[in-house]
């Protein structure tokens, strides 16, 4: 099938590349000429393990191409995916749908025959119906259907998630749209991966409900971690103990400095705002948002306590700034709250991150960037583990401690045990919930 993918951000590029690997002819569109030229040259503008090789494979096979010309990409396409950004709108917490509706209008004028216009972007309930209205208004005689196909990709594991999904959710309003979407996902159907067909509104809600639930789960264990510190319990053992219950499960039960990234912060806010508008407030979700911000600030206090109440004039080594490992994504990362607080408190901050330095230089002014953990920790007063990259999971703790002016560690991801840190020479250690 011929597919047009509008937008080459994280979702659009991963989806476009993977659809081409299914055997479809995919044209990815972006308005940024520099990004299009990068992609044509085989350069991937985001960091996602395995993506560059898979992209090169399908470009070489003639199934994948890139352009800045939307009309050319849409002409003759059987499905047109909208995968543009939906950032949080300033001032009210709503998802900004400007790019979605602009893409829909441009698609309408470019349609040459029947196509299914599929929203891949995360959008509030009711958006797909509005997309249909935009298309009808711009091109009254166009033949089209709309569909909702939310993504459930984890950054750092996106290709595997796309190729081996827990489920594919497709919202449709016609048998014709269902048939087209069925053909697109046929390789997954043949391998017995679940494909759930719903109406448009249900598909939209599934995406928000899933992310809100996961954000709630993370925030729940972080609150439990705070209580564990007060009563002397170990949150890692608590997480294991409750995670073995099949009704709960062990995922998203790792205590840390709060959630971040491109999805959870904006999607919880958008869901809460939508619920308020419909007079059905999501009190749990609203509390999750509030508590998550408090958790980030609590991590600053933890670091200050290890430094006798102040970081003024002290050197702090920060290991990891991205919101999670195996990505270069800094959006709403805990580091964006914690690091500026340290700099503002008078600390000299040295940071190291395998992929976060490019974005971090712009987002974290006043930070010195180094290439490895040992360089960051040299003569430092405290080392702070903020992101659990594999590079930080197997450090020589004795070497790390020996090179520091004061051997103190704030292990905000519970990578190391207190006993191992003490044995290695750290005279002060603090994890989360232990």
């Amino acid at each position: 099938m011929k597919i047009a993918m509008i937008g080459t951000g994280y979702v659009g590029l991963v989806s476009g590349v993977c659809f081409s690997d299914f055997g479809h002819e995919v044209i990815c569109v972006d308005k940024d000429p520099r990004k299009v030229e990068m992609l044509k040259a085989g350069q991937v503008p985001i960091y996602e393990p395995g993506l560059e090789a898979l992209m090169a494979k399908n470009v070489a096979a003639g199934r994948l191409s890139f352009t800045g010309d939307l009309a050319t990409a849409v002409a003759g396409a059987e499905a047109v995916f909208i995968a543009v950004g939906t950032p949080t709108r300033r001032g009210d917490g709503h998802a900004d749908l400007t790019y979605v509706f602009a893409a829909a209008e441009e698609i309408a004028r470019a349609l040459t025959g029947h196509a299914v216009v599929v929203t891949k972007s995360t959008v509030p309930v009711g958006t797909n119906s509005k997309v249909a209205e935009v298309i009808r208004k711009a091109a009254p005689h166009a033949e089209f259907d709309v569909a909702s196909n939310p993504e459930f990709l984890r950054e750092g594991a996106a290709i595997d998630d796309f190729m081996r999904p827990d489920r594919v959710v497709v919202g449709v309003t016609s048998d014709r749209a269902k048939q087209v979407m069925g053909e697109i996902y046929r390789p997954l159907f043949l391998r017995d991966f679940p494909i759930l067909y719903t109406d448009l509104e249900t598909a939209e809600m599934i995406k928000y409900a899933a992310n809100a639930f996961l954000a709630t789960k993370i925030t729940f264990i972080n609150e439990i971690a705070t209580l564990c510190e007060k009563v002397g319990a170990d949150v890692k053992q608590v997480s294991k103990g409750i995670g073995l219950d099949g009704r709960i499960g062990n995922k998203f039960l790792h205590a840390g400095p709060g959630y971040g990234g491109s999805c959870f912060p904006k999607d919880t806010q958008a869901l809460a705002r939508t619920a308020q508008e419909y007079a059905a407030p999501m009190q749990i979700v609203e509390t999750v948002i509030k508590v998550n911000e408090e958790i980030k600030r609590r991590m600053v206090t933890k670091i200050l306590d290890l430094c006798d109440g102040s970081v003024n004039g002290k050197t702090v080594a920060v290991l990891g700034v991205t919101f999670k490992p195996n990505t270069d994504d800094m959006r709403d990362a805990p580091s964006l709250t914690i690091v500026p607080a340290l700099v503002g408190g008078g600390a000299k901050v040295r940071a190291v991150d395998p992929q976060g330095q490019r974005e971090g230089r712009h987002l974290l002014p006043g930070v010195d960037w180094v290439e490895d953990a040992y360089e960051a920790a040299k003569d430092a007063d405290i080392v702070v583990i903020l992101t659990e990259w594999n590079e930080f999971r197997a450090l020589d703790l004795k070497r790390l401690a020996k090179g520091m002016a004061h051997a103190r560690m704030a292990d905000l991801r519970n990578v190391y045990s207190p006993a191992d840190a003490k044995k290695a020479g750290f005279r002060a250690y603090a994890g989360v919930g232990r």
Side-chain angles (χ1 to χ4, degrees):
M1 301 188 77
K2 181 180 178 183
I3 295 173
M5 183 67 63
I6 313 304
T8 61
Y10 185 84
V11 172
L13 186 57
V14 171
S15 299
V17 170
C18 290
F19 279 141
S20 69
D21 204 56
F22 284 176
H24 302 303
E25 177 190 344
V26 180
I27 305 177
C28 294
V29 184
D30 203 284
K31 286 187 174 296
D32 184 346
R34 188 180 64 85
K35 187 184 282 190
V36 172
E37 289 307 310
M38 279 184 66
L39 291 165
K40 285 182 174 180
Q43 300 171 7
V44 179
I46 59 172
Y47 177 74
E48 178 62 36
L51 184 59
E52 187 172 345
L54 194 64
M55 187 176 90
K57 168 191 168 185
N58 286 285
V59 168
R63 293 188 294 263
L64 178 65
S65 59
F66 305 95
T67 183
D69 187 348
L70 183 143
T72 299
V74 170
E78 293 158 277
V80 182
F81 283 80
I82 298 175
V84 297
T86 55
T88 300
R89 197 163 66 194
R90 285 179 178 271
D92 63 5
H94 268 301
D96 186 345
L97 301 176
T98 303
Y99 304 114
V100 172
F101 295 144
E105 187 172 341
E106 198 171 347
I107 290 165
R109 297 194 174 105
L111 291 172
T112 57
H114 181 271
V116 180
V117 180
V118 190
T119 304
K120 198 76 172 159
S121 305
T122 300
V123 295
V125 177
T127 301
N128 278 277
S129 295
K130 292 177 183 176
V131 165
E133 292 173 11
V134 169
I135 296 173
R136 285 193 199 97
K137 184 177 179 181
H141 303 295
E143 288 187 73
F144 71 97
D145 285 288
V146 295
S148 176
N149 181 212
E151 55 82 20
F152 299 95
L153 306 178
R154 295 169 300 160
E155 294 188 40
I159 292 172
D160 189 61
D161 284 349
F162 199 101
M163 299 298 193
R164 286 176 279 276
D166 293 326
R167 77 294 200 195
V168 175
V169 175
V170 181
V172 292
T173 58
S174 73
D175 289 339
R176 189 172 187 179
K178 183 177 179 181
Q179 183 178 357
V180 170
M181 296 302 292
E183 283 299 313
I184 290 172
Y185 283 107
R186 183 174 172 78
L188 297 182
F189 175 77
L190 292 174
R191 291 157 57 208
D192 292 327
F193 290 105
I195 299 178
L196 175 64
Y197 290 99
T198 70
D199 56 53
L200 297 175
E201 291 77 15
T202 301
E204 293 164 338
M205 184 59 81
I206 286 170
K207 170 64 177 178
Y208 277 102
N211 278 355
F213 186 85
L214 295 175
T216 300
K217 201 171 179 183
I218 293 169
T219 306
F220 174 81
I221 200 63
N222 282 335
E223 285 214 296
I224 290 292
T226 301
L227 183 57
C228 283
E229 292 175 9
K230 302 290 186 181
V231 303
D234 185 338
V235 76
K236 290 198 78 169
Q237 293 299 313
V238 172
S239 295
K240 186 174 182 179
I242 64 176
L244 289 169
D245 187 324
R247 298 167 300 176
I248 297 172
N250 61 0
K251 294 182 178 178
F252 289 84
L253 283 178
H254 302 288
Y259 63 75
S262 62
C263 294
F264 290 177
K266 74 178 182 67
D267 291 353
T268 49
Q269 286 190 53
L271 181 60
R273 288 296 294 140
T274 298
Q276 288 167 5
E277 285 194 348
Y278 283 88
M282 305 282 293
Q283 297 179 58
I284 291 175
V285 177
E286 290 175 7
T287 302
V288 164
I289 295 168
K290 174 177 174 287
V291 171
N292 189 59
E293 292 306 311
E294 292 173 354
I295 287 165
K296 295 176 186 178
R297 292 191 292 271
R298 197 179 298 150
M299 297 301 111
V300 177
T301 302
K302 189 181 289 288
I303 296 167
L304 293 175
D305 288 346
L306 279 173
C307 293
D308 304 318
S310 173
V311 291
N312 188 33
K314 295 183 171 69
T315 298
V316 180
V318 173
L319 309 188
V321 296
T322 55
F323 87 96
K324 64 181 287 190
N326 294 323
T327 181
D328 57 357
D329 199 339
M330 293 278 295
R331 285 174 285 186
D332 281 295
S335 64
L336 298 181
T337 297
I338 296 167
V339 173
L342 298 176
V343 173
K348 179 183 178 182
V349 176
R350 291 194 206 116
V352 56
D353 190 290
Q355 294 295 331
Q357 186 173 153
R358 184 184 62 178
E359 286 294 309
R361 285 187 180 278
H362 301 294
L363 297 171
L364 297 171
V367 171
D368 295 326
W369 294 90
V370 297
E371 295 305 316
D372 67 65
Y374 304 106
E375 184 182 355
K378 183 174 172 53
D379 298 323
D381 295 284
I382 185 171
V383 61
V384 179
I385 301 178
L386 259 184
T387 313
E388 66 278 33
W389 285 90
N390 282 339
E391 287 88 334
F392 306 144
R393 286 184 175 277
L395 294 170
D396 183 338
L397 293 185
K398 286 185 179 180
R399 177 185 170 190
L400 199 71
K402 189 176 181 180
M404 297 177 68
H406 298 92
R408 295 178 277 212
M409 177 185 287
D411 184 0
L412 304 186
R413 297 290 182 174
N414 290 338
V415 174
Y416 298 101
S417 72
D420 286 344
K422 184 177 181 181
K423 184 179 178 182
F426 282 91
R427 68 178 183 84
Y429 169 94
V432 178
R434 331 171 71 177

